[in-house]
Amino acid sequence: MAISLLSAITTLTRFSASSSSASINFKYIFSRRTVFTASPKRQKQRGCKIMASTSPVPETYSATQDKITAPYGSWKSPLTADVVSGASKRLGGTAVDGHGRLIWLESRPTEAGRGVLVKEPAKAGDEPSDITPKEYAVRTTAQEYGGGAFRIFGDTVIFSNYKDQRLYKHSIDSKDSSPLPITPDYGEPLVSYADGIFDPRFNRYVTVREDRRQDALNSTTEIVAIALNGQNIQEPKVLVSGSDFYAFPRMDPRGERMAWIEWHHPNMPWDKAELWVGYISENGDVYKRVCVAGFDPTIVESPTEPKWSSKGELFFVTDRKNGFWNLHKWIESNNEVLAIYSLDAEFSRPLWVFGINSYEIIQSHGEKNLIACSYRQNGRSYLGILDDFGHSLSLLDIPFTDIDNITLGNDCLFVEGASGVEPSSVAKVTLDDHKLKAVDFKVVWSSSPDTLKYKSYFSLPELIEFPTEVPGQKAYAYYYPPSNPIYQASPEEKPPLLVKSHGGPTSEARGILNLSIQYWTSRGWAFVDVNYGGSTGYGREFRERLLGRWGIVDVNDCCSCATFLVGSGKADEKRLCITGGSAGGYTTLAALAFRDTFKAGASLYGVADLSMLRAETHKFESRYIDNLVGSEKDYYEKSPINFVDKFSCPIILFQGLEDKVVPPDQARKIYKALKENGLPVALVEYEGEQHGFRKAENIKFTLEQQMVFFARVVGHFDVADEIIPIKIDNFD
């Protein structure tokens, strides 16, 4: 349930559109729909007139020109759904080859979400080149969310091919070579691999394997080794097994020890996990194991991201003692854990996908290691250099306010990040001789390279704190006011507000440039992205507010946020809408069923029936909601499907037909019940889409239909774009 609405709308993978939604290539299903034939009076009341503006909007606009006064929601904007869906590539990881050149994995909406490895050009000014042949796509379905789909070693890449889920070995530099499979063909893509590492001592590839051959809903996860020598493909050798889940297998420099993370049902990796070290025998087996962290029942912690230094020291991140993910070090001689630097900030993030890399160990000429690390504190990311004695943390001055992964280059760092005016990007941060200051910052890859021409339309995020229903308790959100250089509304009007509930629910809203948000704000909508109790980025205590209270805390916080903005004069109380994907879709449905704050909602692959989710979802999340929901009674009472009679406003549903996280029956069941109950409702189903929409035409259609749906049911404005609306059952 981790994919958020923003991911669904703006990404290509984890996840050229036509000029009108009537001709795009997709399948949407409406069972026995009634044609929308509202009377002129009803049209006026519902604001359902859909029209196209006859005057084009320039991409830049002089501030000296008078603004046009028009209702919120009716403003014309060059940030069209085509721009949003076609421009937003998604990053799937970065690495550096043997020549120090950056390699990145990008997913492309215009190629149906195909994942492609791309190589930085050797000369400045040249174009990057694709490494992945067109008949291949780099993506793993391990734990459904994937991640860690490739690994670079010198001039060789090993990657997971999406179609068959086999691992392939491929030369980065040779244009004529074809990828060679290194794992067996089982006939179907039922075995997936992720988060691998090279083991030069035995010339093998050590990786996490998820095997669904015996039971698709209860797969077997192990750490295995795959031989790289010889022409014969062999069955992988099992190194570690017996636990429910594994991640981060990492070999020490001499190949004598391997660290890994494991966890067991009913925990998720951010609830409670264990860090182990295994010692490797002469024949390559793990012959002895030591639990480094997570074994003490008196210490609740979730260690993550183990990493060996060149001197064989083991570093990792865990949240013991202060409840925040901080950097630690293992003292092997007495199996002791030493905190390197303590700060009420998160130096890592929840393990929804494999391959997270929040810090890098920099080679130092002295006795100490230097660690390049990122952390989040109070809704913002920071990049710094820390010495492993914890004496100092030197912050690097860079434009990014939001940082994901870090990759170590030659005298530089490649940083994945963004800001309120910069989309998801990779920047090369050149360091000084002492590795303590940034002397140059250059963006080398951007998910949306042409966005700056729309800068005058951007709405900048405002981090807000708002009171929750618990006295003295706060939650957080990013508020985006309506923003358009050409238009303004009358002083008497307040804007419609779209509240977004992120997925997970153990995830976090981030205050970065996202064109799907700008699509709304540039048309005169206010938008707020809520970090309700249970979100990450604010420590374990904040994260655990949701334990046993999913469907209560998240719903209350979203409602409280909307009410707070209404009270602040920033939103129209009569035009409050809510949207969300996956777990955010559940929060949307629950808010509409159990509260009367919102006037309409949109659920993207959302959960309607908690019991059905528990029975049908994949292994990784099959016990997730046990800790979030509570008793069997709670499963019933917190499921919106069981309280259809409590819904009182229109809803639109979007669903991928190949979704294994939230199966299509969830959307179909709530759609049918709401339709039979006489509520205005619409359902859109996409063939070939999984959990999160990856195809540009589907991203475009979803965005446009949400806009038109809300305009028709709560509007009081005319949409400026030419959009053909779908039918809404029970609307007349």
Side-chain angles (χ1 to χ4, degrees), residues 113-339:
R114 175 173 170 256
V116 181
L117 286 167
V118 185
K119 179 171 62 176
E120 179 186 18
K123 297 180 180 179
D126 290 349
E127 291 295 317
S129 57
D130 289 359
I131 296 173
T132 309
K134 292 186 176 181
E135 60 271 27
Y136 294 86
V138 181
R139 182 180 164 202
T140 176
T141 61
Q143 292 184 177
E144 291 302 320
Y145 299 114
F150 75 100
R151 179 71 65 175
I152 304 292
F153 183 73
D155 65 350
T156 299
V157 59
I158 289 180
F159 69 90
S160 172
N161 185 44
Y162 173 58
K163 185 176 181 179
D164 57 15
Q165 287 297 290
R166 299 175 72 186
L167 289 179
Y168 287 77
K169 181 180 178 182
H170 189 210
S171 171
I172 294 173
D173 296 325
S174 176
K175 296 182 179 179
D176 300 324
S177 67
S178 297
L180 298 175
I182 61 172
T183 54
D185 182 359
Y186 298 112
E188 295 182 75
L190 296 175
V191 178
S192 300
Y193 307 87
D195 206 11
I197 192 77
F198 284 90
D199 180 6
R201 179 186 174 192
F202 294 99
N203 192 24
R204 62 186 182 177
Y205 190 65
V206 178
T207 183
V208 176
R209 179 178 69 178
E210 183 181 58
D211 190 341
R212 301 178 295 276
R213 285 176 290 176
Q214 298 298 320
D215 188 341
L217 291 179
N218 190 27
S219 57
T220 300
T221 305
E222 300 164 318
I223 297 176
V224 300
I226 298 160
L228 298 178
N229 51 353
Q231 298 297 317
N232 296 325
I233 297 175
Q234 303 173 15
E235 187 70 23
K237 179 180 183 179
V238 176
L239 297 180
V240 182
S241 63
S243 185
D244 288 316
F245 303 99
Y246 295 95
F248 294 110
R250 298 294 183 261
M251 305 299 302
D252 77 0
R254 300 178 63 178
E256 296 175 348
R257 295 167 297 175
M258 179 177 70
W260 69 85
I261 298 294
E262 65 179 57
W263 66 99
H264 318 269
H265 281 319
N267 295 310
M268 298 299 283
W270 50 82
D271 294 325
K272 195 176 191 309
E274 298 169 1
L275 168 61
W276 287 79
V277 169
Y279 293 82
I280 310 299
S281 67
E282 291 299 321
N283 64 357
D285 292 325
V286 175
Y287 71 90
K288 185 177 74 170
R289 306 181 188 185
V290 175
C291 190
V292 173
F295 62 89
D296 187 342
T298 65
I299 301 176
V300 179
E301 63 178 325
S302 50
T304 185
E305 293 197 60
K307 194 183 299 287
W308 299 93
S309 73
S310 60
K311 293 178 283 188
E313 301 163 300
L314 180 62
F315 294 84
F316 62 99
V317 178
T318 191
D319 59 346
R320 59 171 58 190
K321 293 187 178 179
N322 70 348
F324 287 84
W325 277 310
N326 286 183
L327 281 160
H328 290 71
K329 182 179 178 180
W330 180 45
I331 308 302
E332 184 178 10
S333 59
N334 56 358
N335 193 22
E336 180 185 358
V337 172
L338 176 67

Side-chain angles (χ1 to χ4, degrees), residues 680-699:
V681 63
L683 170 64
V684 179
E685 294 182 320
Y686 297 120
E687 286 187 335
E689 290 284 18
Q690 299 176 359
H691 198 63
F693 305 147
R694 295 165 171 82
K695 298 178 182 179
E697 62 268 27
N698 297 341
I699 296 171

